[in-house]
Amino acid sequence: MAQWAKLQQLQGEALRQVQNVYGEHFPLEVRFVLAQWIEDKPWSEIDPDNHLHDNYAASLCASFIQELEKKASEEDSNFIMKIKLDEAVVYFRDNYSNNPQQLVRVVKHCLQAESKAIQLAENLCVQMANQLQGPSTIHQEISQHLDKLKKKTQETEEELRRMQQEQESFVIQYQESSKRQAQIQQLTNQTNTQTNLEMLTKLQRDKELLDEALRQKASSLVQQRQVLADRHKDTLLQVHSLQTRVLDDELIKWKRNQQLAGNGAVFDNNLDQIQEWCEYLVEIIWQNRQQIKRVEMLCTQLPINSSMGNILEKFHSLNSEITGLLSSLVTSTFVIEKLPPQVMKTNTRFTATVRLLVGGKLNVHMTPPQVKVTIISEAQANSLLKNKVGMTEASGEILNNTGTMEYHHATRQLSVSFRNMQLRKIKRAEKKGTESVMDEKFSLLFQSEFKVGGEELVFRVWTLSLPVVVIVHGNQEPHAWATVTWDNAFAEPVYIPPKMSDSYQGRVPFAVPDKVPWLQMAEVLNMKFRAACGQGLSAENLQYLATKGFRNSQIQDFSNMVITWSQFCKEPLPDRNFTFWEWFYAIMKVTREHLRVLWNDGVIIGFISRRKAEEMLLKRPSGSFLLRFSDSELGGVTIAWVVEDPQQETMDVFMLQPFTSRDFTIRSLADRINDLKHLSYLYPDIPKDQAFGKYYTPYTENQPPSSNGYVKPVLVTHIPGWTGMSSGMDSYPGTPQSSFHPQSPDPSYHDSSSMAGGSDQPMHAGVAVSDMDYDFLNMDLMSGDMEVPVDFSSINVSDLVAYTKRE
């Protein structure tokens, strides 16, 4: 309840901002009574647009309503509070029971708003405490600029009102003057009596006074119109400057950060803040546009010639400029909030969310617009940007590709979530040279059309997703991710001439450099590995990766070198049938899926050459070992250990046949290390059980039968020929002892590189489990149909704990 406690400390504007977030959709009283319960739930980890989270969202919603009912029933001390809570129970059950995702959105939005308000208040307190008057933050600068524009808009509104009153007064006086003129004309046509002459003289004098006043008013009106035109021109210049900053700096930065997040960068999602600025801007633009239109109407109603030029034309020009600003703001704020997957497999469901940041302020939801999604090629994306027209032809077929934008009052967001799209077909371009389908980039095009201002303005909006690579089989995934990773990292924005796009300042689809500095590549690899595995790469790790990437272990300084696309993912590594990226990707995958906690604990050295590992171990006592990633086996992890030969008085280093993901799904690496009793100290001198003990799987001698009546067997890692080096202990408690001479592993189990004398050739290496038929485990080993002893050397299972078969 730490956040709720801090919330109660807020005052002034910060408190009002939080209060504005709550309402009938989520009463503040509910937040109060469920403060602890709400803050204990992992709202940030739930994605309401991910169908995989639907069941958890539904469960959480049901628990939420149940907890609220409980609080309402327990409330006895405050009658008003009890009524409020009872009403809330009914509201939540009616509105969220069948739409739990919306409850998740509402709660997440409220908690985020609270957090921001608390953070701003804390930052302000720190600044006041330290009496710092440093430069304004970007947030403060933009907010101050918006406040100034709002004030200018209010001032021009007052001036327009005064000018309109002045013009109305002019019209009234002009009518009086016309009335005097008619009376003068009438008297002139009558007999020139003394009375008529006196009256005529009086009328002429009154008309002259009226005409003089009219001339002054006309001059004043011209001056007022000119002043208004100048002030609106100044406002438009400032609006354009601020809008450029918000759209071309902040929104483009958000999109770039969103792209880098695809490579694992930390993404500070400030889209809500950008929406707030854009809504402020569109409100100012709309008010100024309405003012300019009113002046145009007034000028049309009362044309006044002026030596300063045609004022009406100036306002026509201003109207055109501000409408252009409005159009640019609307089209630029049609954004993809949740991107589709960048590696997309055919016939696989995927999601995406698009949002119109200014939709709420323009009341677009009054006539909810439809959004259509199509997939287009790189060439089509280039054509789209040049011609600025919607695409009629697609490069594939997407199911469930239309949706209606909805306005969510709680979050003030106009958006549509596509939750069940599926790419059924893809049309590929002709390949050139060494290109493959995994090099080909596509993009999802989101298009819509809507009207604002009583259908006065029609906006056709579209936006492109980040490049996607389409695959049809899982074995294409590594290279596809290479294409996406390179694109995300090195797609620098480029200026496009105005003739191609009036406001677009993005990249040319989908241009990327053919080579990049190694330091940038190292940063990308570190970012990817940290995001996938938790802990990033050390300087030593990156140095080793550089030797692999450049195929040269002699170079010490790679800081000024550049790595090419071919070196990264096209050219196989020396004496290997896989590329640098495939090797790195496989390591990252096995670490993420099976070794994450060990990697984060620092017990895996990993990125180290065979020769370096041997040098390190030869300086340590017998039984010392380390873990390194295999050079020859994709996603392989090998155990290197040192053993003293007492007869020869020498130290030898051995490398165990690499384990892969398949092995770790059967038995974890920690348990395998525990099985191998001749391993004593993790390099340099950490006792094995101290390093890995907390990751061992608990084991008891007498395993009780499971619910199905069977006793579960245990497969144990054993290296034939090394049992005697176990310090007098069995390789695993309770393992039956074999009376047969230990057999060497089946040579066919060794990888191709080992057979060819590669760098990871195992020396007296064993393996936990081979490619055996696991139906073997259902046999009764002691049945009378089998002869004893049985020679198990033909299979690579070292030890098998017997189990009882259910009768």
Side-chain angles (χ1 to χ4, degrees):
M1 206 167 69
Q3 184 161 306
W4 179 252
K6 291 180 180 179
L7 202 65
Q8 297 178 76
Q9 307 293 324
L10 296 180
Q11 298 178 354
E13 182 61 27
L15 181 59
R16 282 192 292 274
Q17 288 180 4
V18 174
Q19 289 172 333
N20 291 336
V21 173
Y22 290 92
E24 292 183 1
H25 61 281
F26 193 12
L28 195 57
E29 292 84 357
V30 173
R31 175 68 175 96
F32 168 67
V33 298
L34 297 183
Q36 184 69 57
W37 189 91
I38 289 173
E39 293 181 28
D40 286 343
K41 302 304 175 185
W43 301 98
S44 61
E45 298 176 11
I46 307 173
D47 182 359
D49 297 320
N50 188 339
H51 67 279
L52 297 176
H53 295 185
D54 285 354
N55 290 338
Y56 188 71
S59 174
L60 194 60
C61 179
S63 299
F64 186 102
I65 295 173
Q66 184 179 2
E67 190 69 17
L68 185 58
E69 289 175 336
K70 178 182 175 183
K71 292 293 184 182
S73 64
E74 293 174 351
E75 183 58 59
D76 295 324
S77 58
N78 191 324
F79 178 70
I80 301 299
M81 174 66 83
K82 182 174 179 57
I83 293 177
K84 285 278 188 181
L85 295 181
D86 287 337
E87 291 175 348
V89 169
V90 175
Y91 178 84
F92 276 68
R93 188 185 296 114
D94 292 345
N95 290 274
Y96 297 129
S97 292
N98 296 323
N99 190 6
Q101 295 84 2
Q102 183 59 20
L103 176 63
V104 173
R105 291 190 187 94
V106 169
V107 176
K108 289 179 70 172
H109 176 72
C110 291
L111 292 177
Q112 289 170 1
E114 291 177 7
S115 180
K116 288 180 180 178
I118 292 169
Q119 187 64 47
L120 287 174
E122 289 178 347
N123 291 342
L124 183 60
C125 289
V126 170
Q127 291 175 2
M128 293 176 63
N130 296 330
Q131 296 183 347
L132 295 177
Q133 297 296 329
S136 299
T137 63
I138 292 175
H139 179 277
Q140 291 171 329
E141 290 175 1
I142 293 177
S143 297
Q144 290 171 2
H145 203 164
L146 285 167
D147 288 340
K148 290 179 181 178
L149 285 171
K150 184 176 182 180
K151 185 178 180 181
K152 285 176 66 69
T153 302
Q154 292 171 343
E155 290 172 353
T156 50
E157 176 65 32
E158 287 297 316
E159 290 184 22
L160 174 57
R161 185 179 58 80
R162 287 194 295 269
M163 190 188 78
Q164 186 172 355
Q165 291 175 345
E166 190 79 7
Q167 182 162 320
E168 289 170 353
S169 174
F170 178 91
V171 171
I172 292 172
Q173 290 189 358
Y174 183 82
Q175 290 174 342
E176 286 294 324
S177 176
S178 298
K179 183 179 179 181
R180 297 290 190 278
Q181 179 62 38
Q183 291 173 340
I184 291 172
Q185 187 64 37
Q186 184 178 6
L187 288 174
T188 302
N189 295 332
Q190 292 178 3
T191 306
N192 292 331
T193 62
Q194 184 66 30
T195 303
N196 286 349
L197 289 174
E198 290 176 356
M199 187 176 294
L200 181 61
T201 301
K202 182 177 181 302
L203 287 172
Q204 288 175 339
R205 185 170 61 254
D206 290 346
K207 186 177 183 306
E208 288 176 1
L209 292 173
L210 284 171
D211 288 348
E212 179 62 26
L214 285 172
R215 283 191 291 272
Q216 291 179 0
K217 283 186 178 294
S219 177
S220 175
L221 283 171
V222 169
Q223 186 65 30
Q224 285 178 306
R225 291 175 180 181
Q226 184 62 46
V227 169
L228 266 176
D230 291 341
R231 296 203 63 175
H232 277 296
K233 182 68 176 178
D234 181 60
T235 299
L236 261 60
L237 288 173
Q238 293 190 42
V239 167
H240 181 270
S241 174
L242 184 57
Q243 182 166 305
T244 298
R245 182 172 186 180
V246 171
L247 299 182
D248 293 354
D249 292 345
E250 297 305 315
L251 188 56
I252 293 296
K253 185 192 300 180
W254 178 86
K255 291 181 178 181
R256 178 60 180 151
N257 290 338
Q258 185 187 44
Q259 183 176 26
L260 290 174
N263 278 359
V266 177
F267 183 29
D268 181 17
N269 190 349
N270 64 332
L271 192 60
D272 288 346
Q273 177 61 78
I274 295 174
Q275 172 171 317
E276 186 178 322
W277 291 333
C278 291
E279 287 179 331
Y280 219 143
L281 271 171
V282 80
E283 190 173 0
I284 290 170
I285 289 173
W286 188 261
Q287 290 174 355
N288 278 273
R289 185 173 181 272
Q290 294 302 106
Q291 291 177 18
I292 291 170
K293 288 177 64 178
R294 283 162 56 195
V295 176
E296 285 182 303
M297 182 183 66
L298 291 173
C299 290
T300 302
Q301 290 174 347
L302 183 60
I304 302 175
N305 296 325
S306 169
S307 59
M308 292 182 288
N310 192 329
I311 297 294
L312 184 58
E313 286 298 322
K314 290 185 178 181
F315 279 97
H316 284 337
S317 177
L318 289 171
N319 192 351
S320 178
E321 286 182 38
I322 201 165
T323 303
L325 286 174
L326 178 62
S327 177
S328 176
L329 181 60
V330 171
T331 55
S332 298
T333 54
F334 185 65
V335 299
I336 305 173
E337 181 179 12
K338 180 181 175 59
L339 288 163
Q342 287 189 265
V343 174
M344 190 175 295
K345 190 176 179 182
T346 54
N347 298 311
T348 303
R349 186 163 61 170
F350 65 94
T351 64
T353 300
V354 290
R355 178 168 156 190
L356 182 62
L357 302 185
V358 296
K361 282 294 180 180
L362 293 176
N363 293 320
V364 174
H365 55 283
M366 302 305 290
T367 308
Q370 292 276 322
V371 180
K372 181 180 179 181
V373 189
T374 52
I375 187 166
I376 63 174
S377 66
E378 184 172 343
Q380 288 173 318
N382 268 298
S383 176
L384 175 65
L385 289 176
K386 291 177 182 178
N387 301 324
K388 295 188 296 179
V389 293
M391 299 297 300
T392 56
E393 182 182 0
S395 288
E397 177 187 342
I398 300 178
L399 295 181
N400 305 315
N401 66 330
T402 58
T404 303
M405 300 196 83
E406 298 179 355
Y407 183 71
H408 306 281
H409 291 276
T411 59
R412 297 184 297 106
Q413 296 174 6
L414 181 72
S415 63
V416 55
S417 293
F418 297 89
R419 305 183 63 193
N420 295 292
M421 287 193 290
Q422 189 176 104
L423 180 61
R424 294 298 304 277
K425 297 178 182 177
I426 192 67
K427 186 191 302 179
R428 299 192 182 275
E430 293 184 7
K431 302 297 176 291
K432 301 176 183 178
T434 60
E435 288 183 352
S436 70
V437 295
M438 290 84 78
D439 296 320
E440 186 175 8
K441 301 173 190 174
F442 297 87
S443 182
L444 264 62
L445 171 65
F446 295 81
Q447 300 178 85
S448 185
E449 177 181 306
F450 53 87
K451 302 173 182 178
V452 298
E455 302 189 1
E456 175 192 1
L457 297 173
V458 179
F459 294 101
R460 292 179 178 87
V461 296
W462 57 265
T463 187
L464 287 173
S465 75
L466 292 175
V468 301
V469 178
V470 178
I471 62 174
V472 296
H473 194 279
N475 60 13
Q476 297 174 319
E477 189 172 293
H479 189 96
W481 274 113
T483 301
V484 166
T485 298
W486 189 281
D487 191 283
N488 285 345
F490 309 121
E492 292 296 335
V494 203
Y495 175 71
I496 296 180
K499 64 180 181 180
M500 293 181 67
S501 176
D502 293 336
S503 61
Y504 185 76
Q505 288 254 344
R507 61 188 291 204
V508 176
F510 292 110
V512 287
D514 184 58
K515 55 187 177 181
V516 296
W518 167 252
L519 292 180
Q520 292 183 21
M521 174 54 67
E523 184 180 351
V524 172
L525 297 177
N526 182 40
M527 184 187 300
K528 293 283 290 186
F529 210 88
R530 181 188 293 112
C533 307
Q535 182 71 30
L537 303 172
S538 66
E540 292 78 11
N541 296 153
L542 294 172
Q543 178 72 13
Y544 177 66
L545 287 172
T547 65
K548 297 285 287 186
F550 290 106
R551 286 78 167 164
N552 192 327
S553 60
Q554 304 304 315
I555 302 176
Q556 297 300 315
D557 185 7
F558 296 91
S559 58
N560 295 320
M561 297 183 66
V562 294
I563 186 169
T564 66
W565 167 248
S566 293
Q567 289 173 319
F568 178 65
C569 73
K570 285 289 189 179
E571 302 170 1
L573 292 172
D575 302 322
R576 301 285 180 260
N577 60 356
F578 48 80
T579 65
F580 168 78
W581 168 257
E582 288 172 328
W583 173 79
F584 178 80
Y585 181 85
I587 289 173
M588 186 167 59
K589 188 172 187 291
V590 74
T591 305
R592 180 186 72 233
E593 295 175 355
H594 301 286
L595 310 174
R596 183 183 177 93
V597 291
L598 299 180
W599 172 260
N600 291 333
D601 232 10
V603 298
I604 299 177
I605 293 179
F607 296 102
I608 182 176
S609 68
R610 180 190 183 98
R611 188 179 66 179
K612 180 67 174 175
E614 291 174 344
E615 292 176 357
M616 292 166 59
L617 288 172
L618 286 173
K619 300 175 183 178
R620 306 309 305 169
S622 179
S624 299
F625 70 98
L626 59 78
L627 305 173
R628 59 178 288 268
F629 297 126
S630 170
D631 290 315
S632 60
E633 184 87 17
L634 282 178
V637 181
T638 185
I639 302 174
W641 76 98
V642 63
V643 176
E644 181 180 5
D645 187 341
Q647 295 179 350
Q648 301 293 329
E649 296 185 354
T650 59
M651 302 287 283
D652 293 320
V653 174
F654 296 86
M655 302 278 177
L656 193 61
Q657 172 77 30
F659 298 117
T660 62
S661 287
R662 182 177 181 182
D663 301 310
F664 295 138
T665 57
I666 299 169
R667 189 157 176 79
S668 72
L669 179 58
D671 285 339
R672 292 177 183 276
I673 292 172
N674 187 31
D675 294 340
L676 302 175
K677 301 306 178 184
H678 60 278
L679 303 181
S680 305
Y681 296 98
L682 177 68
Y683 184 89
D685 55 5
I686 306 172
K688 178 176 70 174
D689 291 343
Q690 178 182 328
F692 297 95
K694 57 186 173 183
Y695 304 117
Y696 295 159
T697 301
Y699 173 83
T700 58
E701 278 287 345
N702 299 314
Q703 294 269 18
S706 59
S707 59
N708 59 10
Y710 290 106
V711 175
K712 186 178 179 181
V714 178
L715 298 177
V716 180
T717 305
H718 171 67
I719 305 177
W722 288 83
T723 306
M725 305 183 67
S726 304
S727 302
M729 295 179 62
D730 293 332
S731 61
Y732 199 90
T735 302
Q737 294 300 304
S738 172
S739 59
F740 310 109
H741 190 278
Q743 300 290 320
S744 298
D746 186 344
S748 65
Y749 188 83
H750 295 177
D751 63 5
S752 58
S753 60
S754 301
M755 300 301 292
S759 60
D760 269 332
Q761 182 175 353
M763 302 173 62
H764 305 287
V767 66
V769 181
S770 68
D771 299 339
M772 62 175 286
D773 183 356
Y774 285 95
D775 286 339
F776 171 76
L777 299 182
N778 291 326
M779 295 172 59
D780 186 347
L781 297 183
M782 301 307 294
S783 69
D785 295 333
M786 296 183 65
E787 295 182 4
V788 181
V790 179
D791 186 358
F792 290 104
S793 61
S794 60
I795 57 175
N796 288 328
V797 176
S798 48
D799 289 299
L800 183 65
V801 175
Y803 63 92
T804 303
K805 188 174 181 181
R806 184 172 61 179
E807 297 297 327

